[in-house]
Amino acid sequence: MSNTSFTKLCWICNSPAETREHVHKKTDLKQILNDDNGFERLVKISGEHKTKKIELADAKFERIQGVNSIELKYPYNLCKECNSTTTQPYDFSYGKFIDYILKNKESIVKNSNFDFSEIYGEKFELSTSNLFRYFAKSIGCRINDAGEKVPSDIKKLAGGRSFTNTKLKISFAINLDMIKLPERYQTGLGKAALIAPKYNWPYTRYLWRESNRWLNIFYWYGYLPDKDFGETLITNSKLITLGKYKPMMPKNSFWAEFGSWDKQYIQTFMSEA
C-alpha cells in the first residue's frame, strides 16, 4: 500500500488512516445497481449549483465502473480497526433498517411511521443505538471531508462510547415528489451540501441531508430540529413518525437553498442501445 495513506489520521481515533470509507454505503450501491428496473449503469452527478434548482445541464456526469470505484470513496479517513471491528455493528444495523424501509414502503408511506421492534425485534434498543452510531459515522466522514474538525461527541458516538450530551439529532422524512415517480426512477442515492454558519464560533452547528430513494435522512447538529421533517430518533423508543418533504415546492425553500447534491448524487441510467 502506498505511504500516502498515512498522511492523514483516522478522524475517530487519530491512528493512521489506512482505509477509505464509501461515500454511499456499499450495500446501497449494490442494491440500486441490481434493482430489476432495466438499469445497468451507475452515474455520478456532481457540481456546484448556485440556484435553488438542481440544473442538470450544468452538472458533471461521470460513468462509474463499479461499486468499489475510487470515485465513490472519501479520501483516506479511517483506520482499519475503526472501519471494521468498531463500526461493523453499525453497518449491520443500518443494513437491516434500509432493507425493512424499502420492503415496507407502502405501509410506511401510508402511515408515516414505523416500529423499530419490527426491524430489530423486542430487544431493539441496542440495534437502534448502533443505527444512531452509523449516522454519527456518516456525518463525521462528511465533516472531515469538508476539512472541518469533527465534534468530540460525534467521535465518541462513532467510536462506541457514550451518548451523553450529544448535540446530534436525526429525523426522517418521505420525499413526496420522489414517490410520485414511476418505480423505475426511484433509484437515487444523494448526499446534500453540508451547511455550517460562516462564523461557527462559539457554537458548532451543522445541517445535512442524505437520501436513499424516497427516504430523506436529516442531520441536525446544534440546531433545534424542525418537526415538519419528522420526529427525532430516540434509541429506546419503538415508534417514530416521519415527516413529509416536497423539495420542489416553494414552502420547502429552507432546504432547497442548500439542498443541491454537492458531494455526489448516484443514479442508475438505462444503458445506451
Side-chain angles (χ1 to χ4, degrees):
M1 180 180 290
S2 170
N3 288 334
T4 57
S5 65
F6 298 98
T7 60
K8 290 190 175 183
L9 298 179
C10 172
W11 64 262
I12 296 177
C13 72
N14 292 324
S15 296
E18 305 160 285
T19 68
R20 306 171 65 140
E21 177 74 348
H22 276 80
V23 174
H24 303 277
K25 190 80 172 65
K26 188 175 179 179
T27 52
D28 288 340
L29 292 166
K30 287 182 176 180
Q31 216 165 27
I32 66 166
L33 189 59
N34 293 330
D35 275 350
D36 187 21
N37 289 323
F39 295 109
E40 297 180 6
R41 296 176 181 173
L42 290 175
V43 175
K44 182 177 80 172
I45 307 171
S46 60
E48 293 292 332
H49 302 291
K50 303 299 184 183
T51 64
K52 292 183 180 180
K53 287 186 177 181
I54 299 176
E55 302 292 349
L56 292 182
D58 300 326
K60 181 181 179 182
F61 289 75
E62 298 175 63
R63 181 162 291 166
I64 303 300
Q65 297 304 314
V67 296
N68 286 318
S69 169
I70 194 171
E71 296 294 332
L72 300 178
K73 295 181 180 181
Y74 289 109
Y76 287 101
N77 61 351
L78 295 173
C79 69
K80 288 181 180 178
E81 181 74 14
C82 286
N83 204 16
S84 56
T85 305
T86 300
T87 61
Q88 273 183 348
Y90 316 162
D91 296 341
F92 180 75
S93 289
Y94 172 80
K96 289 195 71 173
F97 168 73
I98 288 298
D99 284 345
Y100 176 86
I101 292 294
L102 298 181
K103 290 176 182 176
N104 293 275
K105 170 188 170 183
E106 187 175 340
S107 63
I108 291 171
V109 171
K110 178 181 178 181
N111 299 317
S112 297
N113 62 40
F114 58 84
D115 187 331
F116 282 111
S117 68
E118 293 183 1
I119 305 175
Y120 302 122
E122 286 303 314
K123 296 182 179 179
F124 64 90
E125 291 92 341
L126 177 58
S127 294
T128 307
S129 296
N130 283 336
L131 177 65
F132 193 97
R133 293 184 191 279
Y134 172 86
F135 294 133
K137 182 180 78 165
S138 186
I139 192 172
C141 285
R142 185 65 186 90
I143 293 170
N144 179 73
D145 184 59
E148 298 285 322
K149 183 179 179 180
V150 181
S152 60
D153 57 330
I154 291 179
K155 286 187 174 186
K156 289 178 181 178
L157 284 167
R161 288 175 283 169
S162 175
F163 270 79
T164 305
N165 297 325
T166 181
K167 295 179 182 178
L168 179 63
K169 307 295 180 186
I170 303 294
S171 66
F172 308 100
I174 299 164
N175 184 331
L176 297 178
D177 291 330
M178 175 68 80
I179 61 173
K180 290 179 181 178
L181 296 175
E183 193 75 27
R184 66 186 304 177
Y185 296 116
Q186 298 180 31
T187 58
L189 301 173
K191 303 277 183 177
L194 176 72
I195 303 304
K198 186 175 181 180
Y199 301 103
N200 231 348
W201 185 89
Y203 306 109
T204 301
R205 294 182 294 169
Y206 295 106
L207 290 169
W208 193 42
R209 175 170 62 93
E210 296 183 278
S211 70
N212 189 322
R213 297 172 174 83
W214 51 270
L215 179 69
N216 276 239
I217 304 164
F218 293 90
Y219 294 75
W220 316 81
Y221 187 86
Y223 283 94
L224 182 67
D226 186 328
K227 292 182 179 180
D228 287 344
F229 299 99
E231 291 181 340
T232 54
L233 172 58
I234 300 173
T235 59
N236 62 356
S237 179
K238 282 187 179 183
L239 196 68
I240 187 168
T241 299
L242 282 67
K244 293 181 179 180
Y245 173 57
K246 300 188 72 174
M248 302 306 293
M249 295 295 289
K251 68 178 182 179
N252 284 318
S253 60
F254 168 71
W255 276 99
E257 287 180 5
F258 52 82
S260 62
W261 305 107
D262 75 322
K263 186 59 190 173
Q264 60 181 230
Y265 184 82
I266 301 298
Q267 180 62 285
T268 47
F269 284 88
M270 294 180 69
S271 59
E272 297 172 0

